[in-house]
Structures are given as structure tokens and as C-alpha cells.
């Protein structure tokens, strides 16, 4: 199979035809051998069969010392001689397909955290302004800005439009405090039918904070029968409520269905009607190519513990377009800038330690920062971003498109074999859009009612780590940084057996 040609087809929104041999383990191994990003997997600690069962901390990390690279034994992630469920070596990596919930741990994290702890222990408070020559970290005072610079390619923005602070929902509140400015006429927020619960709580509470009624100020866009929301439906809802809408707030990728929204078109359409546009990129940042500045997005927020791999509850990011981050000095010594919730770490570094009562925000997104960010969190994020510096979002997206298409092909092959048995009701269906351009590296599989417990148990026994959304959905995310085509093949075979034994 011509992989570059297949990737180019996928980038054009077309699904390539896989050969009949694509269902074989040897085909997956051939794809792995051609993968130009396969070296990146060695940058991560992938949970092993044995480590997933651990009940206590040990001195060994996933079967090896922390500084030891994964050993090669001729196997592809535990697959040997065609065996799908080989328990002969518990130190084999699991099949980790859950980066849409929590990314695997970059090995660099341990080094970066050690550097941070050594700095703190060695020079104490001076670590804010001084660093060590052999440290991978900049002084604490500059770490958030450094991480913003390293995030520029991931979200498609200039470093000055990015601020690393807080966590996702906190940033959503901070952005809405500045950008949701309801009036008597314009007070509505347009959102989608099934936002992540935290987003719903944030939107609902912001509306109530302004003394408004969510029943009147929240407009939900309903999906079609496949749980997706066509772009034309979004534009239609915008038209219906344009004169009364203050804010459009949507996810870049919908967490349940995996749908990737047309961010530039929707943003442009809403802004032409006087609506401020914000995006929650929790499932998009580090997953798909973004061009937030070029798309003229007003603001966006994202977490860094999913596809960016900075660790559970990791420090988050926000984008503020440069037109909203301007700071204009006045003759009276005051400054004109976009209203926001302010704190001293949003103050310009040139005057931050003057302890003056006049707030002079840092120009750009940095002026929306409030508190001194955790150096521990920033060290972990900096480590995760160091892996991204070894590739590009374009290269990751290319592999993601092909890896996800291969996953889809194998799942469809299972459906075809089930259809041949005469089963009238398919055991599952994929609710993520078929168009490669309308999804990231996730396929949401809606199981026939009653199958989730059986399938979930089989996946767990096969050392497959993936996400379940009750009552009937499993979300499969083959992350291109560390997942392989053999991972996907092994998952499909374990899933196939689970379906075949579900009767």
C-alpha cells in the first residue's frame, strides 16, 4: 500500500481502499516499519500488563528502571507469533488507546521535575530569576511564557496570544468573565446539545451570575440521528438567535461523538452577525491542526493532560486574539485594556514587583494571567512539549488520519463478518463522522444495548485501555505520538473476539 498517497487522500477528505491483507498482523507490522514517527514511542512510558494490576508503588517503572529505554525482544507490543493475548511477559506494553482522557507519561517529565526540585532545593527563592546552565528549564518567572512559546505550533498562534495558567474550567470562567458581556438585548449563549458537564456548569453559572435565566439564555444545538451536528444546522441556529446572542461557545472536537467542527467557517459566520466566538479545545489541542490566529477566533481554552500529555490535572492554556490583548497607556498614567478579572501575575514583568496599585497588564494573553503558576506543573508541561518539538502538528495529523482510518477499516471488517452470519441487528456502529476531515484521532463506537459490560471486561482482560461512556459507548483513541498500527490491530482482534462471544 502506498502510504503517502493514502495520507494525501485522507487530507482531501477521501478514505483510501485498504487491501484484503490489511486484516493480518503482518500488514500492521509493515505499516509500523514505514512509520516515520515510530521513534517517538520510545519517549513515553506505556503502562504494561503487570503495571496495570499494581496495588502498591515499587522501585521499578513498568518493568524497568526509569532511565532504561524499552527493550526490544522482536515483539510488537506483546504480539508474537500471531498470539493476541500473550501473557508470557507481563512487562509488555498494554494497548493504550485512551489519550483522549489522559495521555501517556513522557519520560522527560521525570528529568524536568527533578531539575525543578533540584533548583528549589539548591537556590530556593532565587529560582524565580536564576537557572542552571545544564537545566532543561528556564527560571520560574519565565516558565509560563516559555511554555506558551512552545505551544505556538500546537494551536496556531503567536506566543503572545497564548497564556499558560490555571486549569481548563477555571480558564473558561476567566475568559467568559471578559468576553461574555450580556446586555438587555444580547444575552444568549449558543452551545451544543451535550457539552462536557464541566462546560455546562460553567456556562449555566455564568448566566446565573449575571442575574439571567439559563432557560432563556442558553440555546442548545441538537444533533442528527448519528449524534453529530452538521455545520449547516449550526449556522441555522446562529441565524435564528443572532440578534439576541452574546456568545457562541462550542468544542473544537465534541468529546462524545468525536466530531471535529469547522472552526473557521463557524467563527466567521457568527462574528459577521456580531457574536463573540470562543472554543473549548480540550479534545482538539495536540490532536488536530489548529490556526486560531488566522481563523480570527476571539478566545479559546484547552487542557494539557489529554493529547499534550502533561499529566493528570495539568496546568491549562488559553488563547486571546491579539486584537483583544492590546494595552494603551493614557496621559494620566492609567491604561486602557479589555476588561478582565485581574491579578498580579497578569501585570507586566517590568513593573510587576513595584507593588503599585495601578494595574498595567502584560500586552497579549499574558495579561489575563492572575496568580503565580505552579513551577511543578509548568515543569511537567515543558517536558511534554519537548516531545512535540521533535515533530510537527502536520506530521502528527498525517499519521493520525491514517492510523484512525486503519482502525475504522478493521472495525468495519468486524461488522461485515457479523453481517455474514445473518445477525439482523449490528452489534455496534461508529458514530464518529466518516469524513476524515471531520474527526480527530478518536472513534466513538456505540454498542448494541447490553454489550458494554461484556466488551469492557474482554478489553480489560486483553490489556486494552480505552474509554467508556455509559450506557453504550467506548471511545478508541490511537494517539500518533505513541500508538502503533500493531496496537490497533491487536485491539481489533480482541474486540472481534468479544463481539463474537457476546451472544
Amino acid at each position: 500500500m502506498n502510504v503517502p498517497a493514502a495520507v494525501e487522500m485522507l487530507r482531501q477528505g477521501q478514505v483510501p481502499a485498504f487491501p484484503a491483507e490489511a486484516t493480518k498482523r503482518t500488514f500492521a507490522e509493515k505499516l509500523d516499519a514505514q512509520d516515520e514517527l515510530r521513534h517517538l514511542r520510545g519517549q513515553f512510558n506505556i503502562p504494561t500488563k503487570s503495571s496495570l494490576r499494581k496495588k502498591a508503588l515499587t522501585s521499578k517503572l513498568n518493568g524497568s528502571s526509569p532511565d532504561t529505554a524499552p527493550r526490544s525482544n522482536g515483539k510488537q507490543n506483546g504480539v508474537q507469533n500471531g498470539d493476541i493475548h500473550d501473557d508470557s511477559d507481563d512487562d509488555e506494553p498494554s494497548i493504550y488507546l485512551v489519550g483522549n482522557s489522559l495521555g501517556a507519561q513522557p519520560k522527560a517529565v521525570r528529568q524536568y521535575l527533578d531539575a525543578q526540585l533540584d533548583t528549589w532545593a539548591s537556590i530556593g527563592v532565587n529560582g524565580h530569576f536564576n537557572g542552571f546552565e545544564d537545566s532543561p528549564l528556564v527560571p520560574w518567572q519565565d516558565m509560563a511564557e516559555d511554555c506558551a512559546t512552545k505551544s505556538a505550533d500546537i494551536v496556531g498562534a503567536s506566543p503572545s496570544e497564548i497564556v499558560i495558567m490555571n486549569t481548563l474550567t477555571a480558564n473558561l470562567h476567566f475568559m467568559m468573565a471578559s468576553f461574555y458581556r450580556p446586555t438587555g438585548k444580547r444575552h444568549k449563549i449558543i452551545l451544543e446539545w451535550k457539552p462536557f458537564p464541566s462546560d455546562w456548569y460553567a456556562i449555566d453559572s455564568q448566566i446565573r451570575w449575571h442575574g439571567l435565566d439559563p432557560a432563556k439564555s442558553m440555546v442548545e444545538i441538537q444533533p442528527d440521528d448519528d449524534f453529530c451536528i452538521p455545520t449547516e444546522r449550526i449556522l441555522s441556529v446562529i441565524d435564528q438567535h443572532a440578534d439576541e446572542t452574546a456568545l457562541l461557545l462550542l468544542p473544537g472536537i465534541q468529546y462524545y461523538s468525536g466530531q471535529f467542527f469547522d472552526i473557521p467557517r463557524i467563527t466567521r459566520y457568527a462574528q459577521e452577525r456580531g457574536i463573540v466566538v470562543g472554543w473549548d479545545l480540550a479534545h482538539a489541542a495536540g490532536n488536530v491542526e489548529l490556526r486560531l490566529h488566522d481563523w480570527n477566533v476571539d478566545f479559546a481554552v484547552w487542557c494539557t493532560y489529554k493529547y499534550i500529555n502533561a499529566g493528570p490535572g495539568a496546568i491549562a492554556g488559553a488563547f486571546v486574539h491579539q486584537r483583544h490583548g492590546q494595552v494603551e497607556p493614557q496621559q494620566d498614567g492609567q491604561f486602557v485594556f479589555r476588561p478582565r478579572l485581574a491579578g498580579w501575575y497578569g501585570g507586566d514583568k517590568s513593573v510587576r514587583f513595584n507593588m503599585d496599585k495601578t494595574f498595567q497588564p502584560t500586552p497579549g494573553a499574558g495579561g489575563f494571567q492572575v496568580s503565580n503558576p505552579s513551577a511543578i506543573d509548568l515543569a511537567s508541561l515543558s517536558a511534554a512539549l519537548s516531545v512535540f518539538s521533535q515533530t510537527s502538528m502536520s506530521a502528527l495529523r498525517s499519521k493520525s488520519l491514517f492510523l484512525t482510518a486503519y482502525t475504522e477499516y478493521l472495525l468495519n471488517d468486524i461488522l461485515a463478518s457479523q453481517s455474514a452470519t445473518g445477525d439482523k441487528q449490528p452489534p455496534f456502529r461508529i458514530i464518529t463522522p466518516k469524513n476524515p476531515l471531520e474527526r480527530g484521532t478518536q472513534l466513538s463506537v456505540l454498542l448494541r444495548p447490553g454489550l458494554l459490560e461484556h466488551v469492557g471486561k474482554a478489553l480489560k482482560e486483553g490489556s486494552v485501555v480505552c474509554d467508556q461512556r455509559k450506557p453504550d459507548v467506548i471511545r478508541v483513541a490511537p494517539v500518533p505520538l505513541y500508538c502503533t498500527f500493531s496496537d490497533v490491530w491487536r485491539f481489533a482482534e480482541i474486540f472481534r473476539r468479544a463481539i463474537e462471544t457476546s451472544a
Side-chain angles (χ1 to χ4, degrees), residues 266-382:
I266 294 168
T267 297
R268 182 172 60 253
Y269 196 87
Q271 289 175 339
E272 288 172 351
R273 285 148 184 80
I275 300 172
V276 174
V277 180
W279 293 90
D280 178 347
L281 304 176
H283 288 266
N287 181 1
V288 293
E289 293 172 280
L290 301 169
R291 297 287 181 268
L292 298 184
H293 175 83
D294 293 344
W295 295 342
N296 204 41
V297 168
D298 289 299
F299 73 89
V301 294
W302 61 92
C303 59
T304 63
Y305 53 80
K306 299 180 188 296
Y307 294 97
I308 299 178
N309 314 302
I315 194 168
F319 164 87
V320 178
H321 198 280
Q322 66 179 22
R323 68 182 182 279
H324 298 305
Q326 298 176 2
V327 178
E328 300 177 3
Q330 304 297 296
Q331 292 183 349
D332 61 359
Q334 299 296 310
F335 299 88
V336 175
F337 50 87
R338 184 176 185 86
R340 77 224 25 212
L341 298 178
W344 78 300
Y345 249 68
D348 193 275
K349 283 195 290 187
S350 64
V351 297
R352 182 176 297 165
F353 289 91
N354 290 351
M355 305 302 173
D356 192 75
K357 291 183 179 179
T358 299
F359 179 60
Q360 178 183 339
T362 301
F368 287 77
Q369 193 167 242
V370 175
S371 299
N372 185 353
S374 165
I376 291 286
D377 286 347
L378 290 169
S380 183
L381 174 57
S382 185

Side-chain angles (χ1 to χ4, degrees), residues 48-68:
T48 65
K49 294 178 180 180
S50 60
S51 71
L52 288 173
R53 300 193 298 267
K54 285 170 63 171
K55 301 297 183 182
L57 294 174
T58 65
S59 60
K60 296 180 68 179
L61 178 66
N62 293 355
S64 62
S65 60
D67 57 351
T68 300

Side-chain angles (χ1 to χ4, degrees), residues 234-252:
I234 296 173
L235 304 186
S236 176
V237 172
I238 291 173
D239 281 336
Q240 293 174 38
H241 300 273
D243 292 341
E244 299 175 299
T245 299
L247 174 64
L248 172 71
L249 184 57
L250 295 174

Side-chain angles (χ1 to χ4, degrees), residues 10 28 85 93 112 148 169 220 231 239 274 279 305 330 351 381 385 413 430 450 466 478:
L10 289 162
H85 188 56
Y112 279 57
T169 307
E220 299 177 65
T231 298
D239 281 336
W279 293 90
Y305 53 80
Q330 304 297 296
V351 297
L381 174 57
L385 294 173
D413 182 71
I430 300 171
C466 63

Side-chain angles (χ1 to χ4, degrees), residues 24 51 110 114 120 127 140 148 169 188 228-229 247 251 278 286 303 322 357 360 378 386 390 410 415 425 471 499:
K24 305 297 183 182
S51 71
R110 189 174 295 269
D114 283 347
W120 180 18
W140 302 334
T169 307
K188 293 182 178 179
C228 290
I229 306 176
L247 174 64
C303 59
Q322 66 179 22
K357 291 183 179 179
Q360 178 183 339
L378 290 169
S386 73
Q390 301 174 43
L410 294 175
L415 282 176
Q425 185 180 6
I499 293 298

